[in-house]
Amino acid sequence: MKALCFCFQVHQALRLRQYRFFDIGNEHYYYDDYTNENIIRKLADTCYLPANAVLLDLLIALKGKFKISFSISGLALDQFELYAPEVIESFQKLATTGYVEFLSETDSHSLVSLKNKAEFIKQIETHSQRIEDLFGQKPQVFKNTELIYSDSIGETIAELGFHGILAEGAQHILKWKSPNYLYCNSISPKLKVLMRNCKFSNDIAWGFNFDGGLTTERFVANLNQLDEKEQIVNIFLNYETIGGYQSKETGIFDFLRYLPETVIRDSEFKFAKVSEIVSNYQAVSKIQIPVPIACVDKEQDLSPLLGNHIQNEALNKLYELNASIVKINDARLNKDWRFLQASDHFYFMCTKPFTNNNIHNNPFSSPYEAFINYMNILSDFKICLKEKDIPKITSTSES
């Protein structure tokens, strides 16, 4: 059987407010609530709610012939709970169909897999429990932030009992191999590795702006041109593509509405959830990836996230605080700690000229402004940690 696996990433950055040098030590609230609420409310109306409504109709009508998977970040869930709880309810309706799967990821949508194994595991366990509480599913497959993957990251995921992990189908890794097979981790072969098909994913992400626009017929015709032996196509893309990056006027909702029917009618492909791919297919070989890859940019590496000295400086200074966070274990500081780890903050510091910051709604006019703003906040956060770490001195008076 040929399988078509659709997995959508749902994530929105938690944007920081303009934080000046003179705020350090005086103002301990770091977030731009107005902007965050406006963005979530806009996307709820243009993307999440209408797209989920289309999917719900399809899932009910096609009765198991159409299946889909989601990876929803902890930061997205936080903002839905604050600003648009009906979005969570709409995802819960999808879950009740039995044809939707929810994956685990890092709760903070962070880069912690590159810095601290204990914190990495903690975030995964937190997020997995949250998904189980909200959607009644214990995740079996893991998706790291921006599809960051390496052999050692996969080894950790296998240790946690996951059966599969998503990874970018990076050409410099695959070389002559195809992403349209199931692979396994080179250290822990029991962990299956699903490689993203970049071409088919990007056709949906950007294909509505070129060559007359993408149609379901054209998409399925391209599927049918694949080699007969290639039996798995993994489509991983941002959910905000539907109604967000690609507006309703492009025809993206019609594409979503009619694609399942066209695939079923005109191809040999069957829709499958990620865990079904892992369970029903055998890995053809190990995939060796000693250096982390990602799906952030065309180089398919970490350069948009950690490609310059200011990004590395900010990330290193952040994780130097990990031991203090664990020691102090203060509820408010733990919350700030979660939010400050989000990968978006480091992406906003990217100096690569061809990186499309508009897609990520970069609120800063330059990467250096993003860096200074973040480091100002981190300086105040360190002050708060030190204040909490000072032993309280109690005095007794003689009676």
Side-chain angles (χ1 to χ4, degrees), residues 2-4 178-181 197 199-200 219-235 269:
K2 291 190 172 186
L4 182 60
S178 168
N180 303 328
Y181 294 98
N197 186 301
K199 179 189 182 305
F200 283 100
F219 184 85
V220 172
N222 290 337
L223 280 177
N224 290 334
Q225 290 176 9
L226 293 173
D227 190 296
E228 184 67 25
K229 296 177 181 178
E230 297 180 307
Q231 295 195 330
I232 302 169
V233 175
N234 298 309
I235 310 290
F269 282 86

Side-chain angles (χ1 to χ4, degrees), residues 1-124:
M1 180 186 80
K2 291 190 172 186
L4 182 60
C5 178
F6 265 85
C7 182
F8 285 110
Q9 166 71 63
V10 182
H11 171 67
Q12 272 301 307
L14 189 71
R15 288 158 182 81
L16 303 174
R17 73 177 186 88
Q18 295 288 330
Y19 196 90
R20 309 300 182 187
F21 174 79
F22 295 105
D23 291 328
I24 299 172
N26 298 310
E27 176 55 61
H28 307 314
Y29 192 78
Y30 311 136
Y31 313 106
D32 186 347
D33 293 337
Y34 177 80
T35 299
N36 289 324
E37 181 175 6
N38 281 349
I39 290 173
I40 292 297
R41 284 303 329 167
K42 180 180 179 180
L43 284 170
D45 294 337
T46 60
C47 169
Y48 305 129
L49 294 175
N52 280 358
V54 171
L55 290 181
L56 184 62
D57 288 343
L58 288 170
L59 292 163
I60 293 172
L62 294 175
K63 299 177 181 178
K65 293 182 181 179
F66 177 54
K67 300 174 183 179
I68 201 161
S69 303
F70 285 99
S71 182
I72 308 179
S73 74
L75 295 190
L77 291 172
D78 289 332
Q79 294 181 84
F80 293 155
E81 289 172 350
L82 278 173
Y83 307 128
E86 66 272 26
V87 172
I88 293 180
E89 293 172 6
S90 69
F91 279 111
Q92 289 172 330
K93 289 180 181 178
L94 295 182
T96 62
T97 66
Y99 307 129
V100 175
E101 179 174 7
F102 294 89
L103 280 61
S104 180
E105 61 170 73
T106 58
D107 190 54
S108 300
H109 199 73
S110 68
L111 304 179
V112 68
S113 61
L114 306 170
K115 301 300 293 185
N116 188 296
K117 183 175 179 179
E119 175 70 13
F120 182 38
I121 292 171
K122 179 181 177 182
Q123 287 194 27
I124 294 169

